[in-house]
Amino acid sequence: MREDGRLLAIRRADNGTWELPGGILELDETPEAGVAREVLEETGIRVEVDELTGVYKNLTRGVVALVFRCKPSGGAERTSSESTAVSWLTPNEVSERMSEVFAVRLLDALDGNGPHVRSHDGKHLIPAG
């Protein structure tokens, strides 16, 4: 997240959807190191990892995603083999461009009440219960 409140997002090369940068951790790296590596690889932006803001489980695929709030520390926006666009979006633009299950991850990172724990089916959030 930039000081002006804009959030870093990518348009994925494989399916054209807007999401937050991320990926799979290497076997020997910490979650924080993996976040910094993935963001740099996909966007060209160097980040300092701040804090865990949410844990999100896709109940359909069995995938658990950890989301960390980060601060940009250098670099310049560029696309990669995984991204066709890189943009700093306002919270409203995040809600407009991203599906619910991805938008909530960025919006949760803004509210300061995390870490949030949420489940979804790949398209829609599933209420806790």
Side-chain angles (χ1 to χ4, degrees):
M1 179 171 60
R2 273 192 335 204
E3 287 184 14
D4 64 3
R6 287 184 174 259
L7 305 159
L8 186 61
I10 63 167
R11 188 172 53 220
R12 290 177 53 114
D14 59 355
N15 62 18
T17 61
W18 282 92
E19 297 181 10
L20 58 165
I24 297 171
L25 296 174
E26 300 294 336
L27 196 56
D28 63 344
E29 71 186 344
T30 65
E32 294 85 355
V35 167
R37 176 184 54 78
E38 285 286 347
V39 172
L40 180 61
E41 285 176 3
E42 293 181 9
T43 70
I45 301 296
R46 287 184 191 80
V47 295
E48 294 176 18
V49 178
D50 188 7
E51 67 179 313
L52 178 71
T53 58
V55 178
Y56 304 85
K57 182 171 184 189
N58 181 327
L59 297 175
T60 306
R61 296 180 57 212
V63 174
V64 175
L66 305 176
V67 176
F68 291 84
R69 184 171 43 236
C70 301
K71 293 180 270 197
S73 62
E77 294 89 356
R78 59 144 177 80
T79 58
S80 71
S81 62
E82 297 176 67
S83 60
T84 59
V86 175
S87 187
W88 291 94
L89 305 179
T90 66
N92 282 343
E93 289 169 332
V94 165
S95 296
E96 291 167 4
R97 294 186 191 185
M98 292 186 185
S99 69
E100 176 185 43
V101 298
F102 291 105
V104 73
R105 297 174 190 193
L106 284 168
L107 300 176
D108 279 353
L110 293 177
D111 75 9
N113 295 321
H116 296 272
V117 178
R118 300 187 189 270
S119 297
H120 64 90
D121 63 7
K123 295 188 180 195
H124 302 287
L125 293 174
I126 297 172

